[in-house]
Amino acid sequence: MKITKLVTVDTILLSMSSTQKHDAIDELVKVLDAAGKISDKDAFREAILKREAQSTTGIGEGIAIPHAKTAVVKEPAIVFGKSVNGVEYEALDGQPSHLFFMIAAPEGANNTHLDALARLSGMLMNEEVREKLLKASTKKEILDIIDSYDQEEENEDKPEQVQQGRKKIVAVTACPTGIAHTYMAADSLKAKAAELGVDIKVETNGSGGAKNILSASDIEEAEAVIIAADINVQMERFNGKHVIQVPVADGIRRPIELIEKGLKQDAPVYHHVASKEDSSSRSKNGKVGFYKHLMNGVSNMLPFVVGGGILIAISFMFGFNAFKPEDPSYNKIAEALMTIGGGNAFGLIVPVLAGFIALSIADRPGFAPGMVGGMMAASGGAGFLGGIIAGFLAGYVVVGLRKAFSTLPQSLEGIKSILLFPLFGIAITGFIMLYAVNGPVGKINTGITNWLTDLGTGNAILLGIVLGLMMSFDMGGPVNKAAYVFGTGLLANGVYEPMAAVMAAGMVPPLAIALATTFFKNKFTKEDKDAGKANYIMGLSFITEGAIPFAAADPLRVIPSMMAGSALTGALSMMFHIGLRAPHGGFFVVPLVEGGVLQYIIAILAGSILSAILLGVLKKPVK
């Protein structure tokens, strides 16, 4: 689509009267409204201001590109405005803005429209274009200038012609709306790299999805990585590379500085905690495997577990049944806390788990079917296992729908994500969950619950050892999270012992580090001993990750020592038949355990002391 389909005679304002930012925005919004491009002027203005609150769209060089993507936009449009005297727009270079392009994109903007918006963003990086637009005196001239520089590009993902012997940089650009800054930063970096004789490949994470995606070989060959983004980007693939992380505006304003910094490798090396898992689960074509999809769901689910779990724990402080109106210990605050934490935050964990697994597989079109499938698993008795199945089911259903609808005419591209994928994705996932998954998986859940409830002492101890080993194997990594999810998942079924074992074992590594650095001072540097003090707090707070720096520095001694102590703690907790209904809180929820507070504390101390002694014996004295 040509840009002049979006910028029309009706959306050009040759002479703006405003001198201040908010007045200029109002002036441009009125033009959009008068042209019939938006259904709610006030709502669109609010969307523009919300985007401005994230970072100014006054990019410098006299240009401002206020933009918003919202449902009140009837059809994609661009308002061009020109101010001879300039507007104080809080631009990145502190100078007044003279050229304005206000972009209005609807929620369902298709790739054709988004590509045109991206080309406009890149065009404005051309100084010649800016000068001609400033001198233009009629609307026709404006349209002719834009049309003359508007060259519809071929597929951006085409192979690049790389010159032998030249150094290479890779980059990722992304902004909150993925419309303007994303592409301007990319074009700015590419233009300056060409001037410097440097090969560059830039991945753009725009509103229409990621394009020009960096391959493993691209990243491997690069001197450094530039991340010019105001949103999170997929980082684990850059493990071991020099990574420069800056706001997207710096990609527009400081491209030469960033490229030169990258060539000198004047940036820290990025270390991703789960890099081994990530690299092993990612195939050569860039797709991720089963484990990565699962952990995407788990990591996004955990805030609901932690926040809701602590609220549940606080509710129990009033009495285990204080949230029940019919109980003599009833308390209104306890009921409110249980409603918020247990009824709502915990009620969302299975749908969120499924939704983000599906999102990882099929991107945004998979999210809604995944959430619905997860909700059906939660309400239908299939629980966590059903939620996992729902996530993978929804994700691959949408992947199949993409292939099935790939032959539809280009004109229908825009309705796929807003109509076809959610409609068929939710329906197919829902029918399969309802008639094929919930019943059998619900019976499996019941069986597991009954087995755990009836465990004899020997089997319970074995389970405690396994959970303890898992909690300390990677100390906050995927294996640790798998054990934690197992424990929290059983809470809903009334099985509380595994959760107690998981929490106790997870507290051991940081507490053991703290004890070892206190009592075996000759085995640690001054920096280690200082960091060890913080591990007392982390251990008591059930933050296993506090031990990671020590494990990373000396894995062959630290990790086995931690696993031994955690296994002992897990075994003792299960042997004492300790139960815990709160899924988080560390030492602060110890008074809430069922089966003996003193025995629980003994289990935690025993494992922590064992791991600390092993560290003291195995580590060599520091010279």
Side-chain angles (χ1 to χ4, degrees), residues 32 37-38 43-52 54 57 65-77 102-115 117 175-180 183 205-209 364 414 417-418:
L32 264 180
K37 304 296 184 182
I38 52 179
F44 182 75
R45 181 181 182 277
E46 281 209 15
I48 289 285
L49 294 177
K50 184 178 179 181
R51 171 62 186 87
E52 292 295 325
Q54 294 171 330
T57 58
I65 311 181
H67 54 274
K69 187 177 181 183
T70 168
V72 301
V73 178
K74 295 179 182 178
E75 59 179 291
M102 177 174 277
I103 299 172
E107 289 286 5
N110 60 33
N111 289 339
T112 306
H113 296 128
L114 295 171
D115 288 344
L117 298 174
C175 70
T177 52
I179 294 175
Y183 302 102
N205 287 348
S207 183
R364 280 180 288 186
S417 59
I418 62 171

Side-chain angles (χ1 to χ4, degrees), residues 351-371:
V352 167
L353 170 71
F356 279 95
I357 289 173
L359 177 75
S360 178
I361 295 168
D363 210 346
R364 280 180 288 186
F367 187 67
M371 284 286 288

Side-chain angles (χ1 to χ4, degrees), residues 82 117 169 184 191 266 333 346 350 382 402 416 448 526 545 610:
K82 183 167 66 169
L117 298 174
I169 297 286
M184 297 185 76
D266 181 16
I333 301 299
F346 253 50
V350 174
R402 274 185 167 150
K416 287 182 184 178
I448 291 172
K526 183 180 182 303
E545 288 85 346
L610 173 61

Side-chain angles (χ1 to χ4, degrees), residues 456-510:
T457 301
N459 288 333
I461 291 173
L462 178 60
L463 177 61
I465 291 171
V466 172
L467 291 174
L469 292 172
M470 292 175 70
M471 289 301 292
S472 284
F473 176 72
D474 52 2
M475 293 174 243
V479 177
N480 170 286
K481 291 294 187 292
Y484 180 65
V485 168
F486 175 74
T488 55
L490 291 172
L491 291 180
N493 296 331
V495 181
Y496 308 125
E497 287 83 0
M499 186 69 246
V502 163
M503 189 174 299
M507 294 166 67
V508 166

Side-chain angles (χ1 to χ4, degrees), residues 487-530:
T488 55
L490 291 172
L491 291 180
N493 296 331
V495 181
Y496 308 125
E497 287 83 0
M499 186 69 246
V502 163
M503 189 174 299
M507 294 166 67
V508 166
L511 287 176
I513 292 292
L515 291 171
T517 54
T518 300
F519 294 102
F520 300 98
K521 296 182 183 292
N522 65 324
K523 301 295 180 78
F524 298 92
T525 65
K526 183 180 182 303
E527 292 78 9
D528 286 341
K529 285 180 277 190
D530 290 340

Side-chain angles (χ1 to χ4, degrees), residues 346-352 354 370-388 390 433 437-438 441 445 492-493:
F346 253 50
L348 284 169
I349 58 179
V350 174
V352 167
M371 284 286 288
V372 172
M375 184 66 77
M376 294 181 72
S379 62
F384 273 87
L385 182 57
I388 293 169
M433 290 299 298
V437 175
N438 280 354
V441 175
N445 273 340
N493 296 331

Side-chain angles (χ1 to χ4, degrees), residues 171-444:
V172 180
T173 62
C175 70
T177 52
I179 294 175
H181 288 55
T182 299
Y183 302 102
M184 297 185 76
D187 286 323
S188 181
L189 287 166
K190 286 190 278 192
K192 296 306 177 184
E195 290 179 16
L196 295 171
V198 176
D199 287 320
I200 191 168
K201 181 174 181 180
V202 185
E203 176 184 307
T204 54
N205 287 348
S207 183
K211 291 187 177 181
N212 215 28
I213 296 172
L214 302 176
S215 66
S217 60
D218 290 327
I219 297 166
E220 179 66 29
E221 295 164 4
E223 301 292 320
V225 181
I226 299 170
I227 307 292
D230 290 337
I231 59 172
N232 291 332
V233 299
Q234 192 183 68
M235 291 296 295
E236 66 270 16
R237 51 191 166 150
F238 304 127
N239 188 61
K241 301 297 292 186
H242 292 273
V243 176
I244 303 165
Q245 292 185 270
V246 295
V248 69
D250 285 6
I252 301 171
R253 300 292 306 150
R254 301 166 44 216
I256 293 179
E257 180 184 336
L258 296 176
I259 293 168
E260 290 180 342
K261 194 174 180 180
L263 293 175
K264 295 174 185 174
Q265 296 188 327
D266 181 16
V269 175
Y270 177 74
H271 295 290
H272 185 69
V273 173
S275 59
K276 288 183 181 179
E277 292 292 345
D278 291 336
S279 60
S280 65
S281 65
R282 184 175 294 276
S283 63
K284 292 180 180 179
N285 62 2
K287 293 182 180 178
V288 293
F290 173 89
Y291 203 74
K292 183 68 188 335
H293 299 317
L294 177 61
M295 294 318 298
N296 188 60
V298 170
S299 63
N300 283 286
M301 177 200 75
L302 284 179
F304 294 86
V305 177
V306 174
I310 292 174
L311 291 175
I312 292 171
I314 297 171
S315 170
F316 288 152
M317 289 180 181
F318 293 92
F320 282 124
N321 294 311
F323 63 91
K324 297 178 179 179
E326 69 275 9
D327 194 87
S329 65
Y330 171 70
N331 182 285
K332 258 192 170 181
I333 301 299
E335 183 186 19
L337 290 168
M338 181 58 73
T339 299
I340 297 167
N344 292 281
F346 253 50
L348 284 169
I349 58 179
V350 174
V352 167
L353 170 71
F356 279 95
I357 289 173
L359 177 75
S360 178
I361 295 168
D363 210 346
R364 280 180 288 186
F367 187 67
M371 284 286 288
V372 172
M375 184 66 77
M376 294 181 72
S379 62
F384 273 87
L385 182 57
I388 293 169
I389 293 171
F392 283 97
L393 171 65
Y396 288 114
V397 162
V398 173
V399 169
L401 290 173
R402 274 185 167 150
K403 291 180 180 177
F405 294 144
S406 61
T407 57
L408 291 178
Q410 183 69 25
S411 59
L412 297 179
E413 185 70 28
I415 69 166
K416 287 182 184 178
S417 59
I418 62 171
L419 175 61
L420 299 181
F421 292 147
L423 173 61
F424 288 97
I426 291 172
I428 295 171
T429 302
F431 273 109
I432 296 174
M433 290 299 298
L434 190 61
Y435 293 111
V437 175
N438 280 354
V441 175
K443 290 178 181 177
I444 292 172

